[in-house]
């Protein structure tokens, strides 16, 4: 059997990466066809770090291999896009997924620069008392020591796919459900979490170069939130997600769980929901009684 390759027509750039959009087929390689992935060595945005800082690098690992990081985002949107039958949503998801890969590369390069030239005593402050000597070549079994490091900031001088506490990246971070309305809402929340994480990282750094890079990444999370919101709005009848509407009465009930100060159930939560939504809620002031009767309202 001869060598085969996947041929795809159409492709797009996302910072340092190019992937095909659609129309893939399996066959023999043909000159001039677009490969599955290309790497453009120019960064989507110039990454700059003014001073090495291994302690901050450890914190930044959260956006490299953590649950709200760039790899998790890319895998989330790729898995959604590959399964999306709507051409516009598919294109949008793969565009953003590709951009997230370029963001992953930016975070990785930031990590490398934060570590580059760091004195061994600074690394020791983060990893314990032996890793600095390990990097200086003072310990012979450095491979086993590096693999056995609990926090493991470094992997041969480069970043490892862990979060800031050393927990390895896992596919469990990818919460794709396969239902567009549910997934898009989850995407908005994921981008919001990433935005807030970058915001907190910016506040923890006094390096102007690092802050500039992180501000770019944070701002792109804002753009992605709005794109996902627009995609959700384009789906007619997107609430409730799924194909079953549920029980009409139960769906509009506000069940009072706060008994107040002995003066009856509090209505503060109900008022918040009722005043800020067109859904229309009904206040259930006796949920215990109704529960015993297997009834509501």
């Amino acid at each position: 059997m001869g060598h085969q390759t996947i041929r795809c027509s159409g492709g797009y750039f996302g910072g340092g990466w190019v992937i095909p959009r659609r129309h893939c087929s399996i066959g023999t390689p043909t000159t001039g066809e677009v490969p599955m992935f290309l790497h453009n060595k120019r960064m989507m945005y110039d990454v700059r770090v003014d001073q090495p800082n291994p302690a901050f690098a450890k914190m930044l690992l959260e956006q490299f291999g953590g649950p709200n990081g760039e790899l998790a985002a890319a895998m989330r949107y790729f898995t959604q896009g590959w399964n999306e039958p709507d051409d516009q949503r598919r294109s949008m998801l793969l565009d953003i997924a590709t951009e997230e890969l370029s963001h992953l590369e930016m975070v990785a390069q930031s990590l490398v620069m934060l570590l580059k030239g760091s004195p061994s005593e600074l690394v020791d402050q983060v990893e314990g008392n032996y890793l600095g000597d390990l990097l200086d070549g003072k310990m012979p079994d450095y491979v086993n020591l590096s693999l056995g490091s609990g926090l493991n900031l470094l992997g041969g001088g480069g970043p490892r796919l862990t979060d800031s506490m050393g927990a390895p990246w896992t596919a469990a971070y990818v919460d794709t459900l396969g239902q567009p309305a549910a997934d898009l809402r989850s995407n908005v929340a994921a981008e919001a979490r990433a935005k807030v994480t970058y915001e907190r990282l910016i506040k923890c750094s006094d390096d102007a170069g690092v802050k500039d890079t992180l501000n770019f990444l944070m701002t792109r999370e804002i753009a992605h939130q709005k794109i996902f919101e627009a995609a959700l709005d384009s789906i007619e009848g997107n609430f409730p997600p799924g194909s079953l509407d549920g029980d009409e009465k139960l769906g509009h009930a506000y069940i009072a769980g706060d008994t107040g100060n002995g003066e009856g159930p509090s209505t503060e939560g109900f008022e918040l929901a009722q005043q800020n939504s067109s859904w229309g809620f009904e206040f259930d002031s006796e949920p215990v009684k109704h529960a015993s009767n297997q009834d509501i309202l």
Side-chain angles (χ1 to χ4, degrees):
M1 183 174 180
H3 173 67
Q4 290 190 329
T5 187
I6 298 178
R7 303 198 305 269
C8 302
S9 61
Y12 57 91
F13 288 87
W17 297 89
V18 185
I19 72 167
R21 280 185 177 167
R22 57 181 76 87
H23 309 312
C24 295
S25 61
I26 298 178
T28 56
T30 304
T31 303
E33 290 176 339
V34 179
M36 186 60 79
F37 276 91
L38 285 177
H39 181 227
N40 181 345
K41 294 183 180 180
R42 185 183 179 96
M43 288 282 183
M44 189 175 189
Y45 188 81
D46 288 338
V47 174
R48 182 167 63 90
V49 172
D50 294 340
Q51 294 291 332
N53 188 335
F56 187 77
K58 180 175 181 294
M59 297 169 64
L60 185 56
L61 275 172
E62 198 64 37
Q63 290 306 92
F64 190 66
N68 300 310
E70 302 295 351
L71 180 59
M75 294 300 101
R76 180 182 297 114
Y77 307 147
F78 272 132
T79 53
Q80 291 176 23
W82 292 328
N83 189 44
E84 177 55 67
D86 180 87
D87 281 347
Q88 287 186 315
R89 288 198 301 270
R90 176 185 175 88
S91 179
M92 176 269 297
L93 286 162
L94 295 181
D95 283 341
I96 295 179
T98 304
E99 183 181 347
E100 301 290 14
L101 283 183
S102 69
H103 292 177
L104 181 71
E105 186 173 17
M106 290 175 63
V107 174
Q109 291 306 307
S110 296
L111 287 165
V112 170
M113 288 190 285
L114 283 164
L115 297 170
K116 187 177 181 180
S118 295
S120 60
E121 61 268 21
L122 289 183
V123 178
D124 279 340
Q125 293 175 16
V126 182
E127 287 285 344
N129 294 324
Y130 70 86
L131 191 53
D133 285 341
L134 183 155
L135 295 175
D136 287 340
K138 297 177 182 178
M139 291 190 174
D141 198 13
Y142 65 91
V143 173
N144 290 334
L145 281 172
S146 63
L147 293 176
S149 172
L151 298 178
N152 215 333
L153 177 61
L154 302 176
R160 300 292 298 269
L161 279 172
T162 71
D163 64 11
S164 59
M165 298 303 293
W169 189 89
T170 169
Y173 296 156
V174 181
D175 56 1
T176 295
L177 189 62
Q179 204 287 329
D183 281 337
L184 287 169
R185 285 184 170 89
S186 178
N187 295 350
V188 171
E191 294 291 329
R193 292 192 299 270
K195 189 270 182 184
V196 172
T197 303
Y198 277 124
E199 182 178 304
R200 290 172 177 170
L201 285 166
I202 289 170
K203 292 177 180 179
C204 289
S205 175
D206 57 3
D207 187 308
V210 170
K211 295 175 80 166
D212 180 66
T213 300
L214 297 186
N215 184 68
F216 169 84
L217 293 169
M218 180 192 74
T219 306
R220 290 306 299 160
E221 310 295 356
I222 297 171
H224 293 168
Q225 286 182 65
K226 300 307 290 185
I227 293 170
F228 287 133
E229 287 176 2
L232 180 61
D233 290 342
S234 74
I235 301 175
E236 185 176 351
N238 63 60
F239 189 84
S243 58
L244 300 178
D245 291 334
D247 183 276
E248 179 72 14
K249 196 173 183 181
L250 285 171
H252 290 267
Y254 183 97
I255 299 175
D258 184 353
T259 58
N261 297 318
E263 301 175 357
S266 170
T267 62
E268 291 179 329
F270 168 73
E271 291 167 0
L272 172 70
Q274 187 74 342
Q275 293 169 7
N276 293 280
S277 172
S278 60
W279 182 247
F281 293 95
E282 294 184 56
F283 188 71
D284 183 0
S285 60
E286 298 181 297
V288 175
K289 175 183 176 181
H290 292 143
S292 65
N293 297 331
Q294 293 295 292
D295 193 11
I296 195 163
L297 296 178

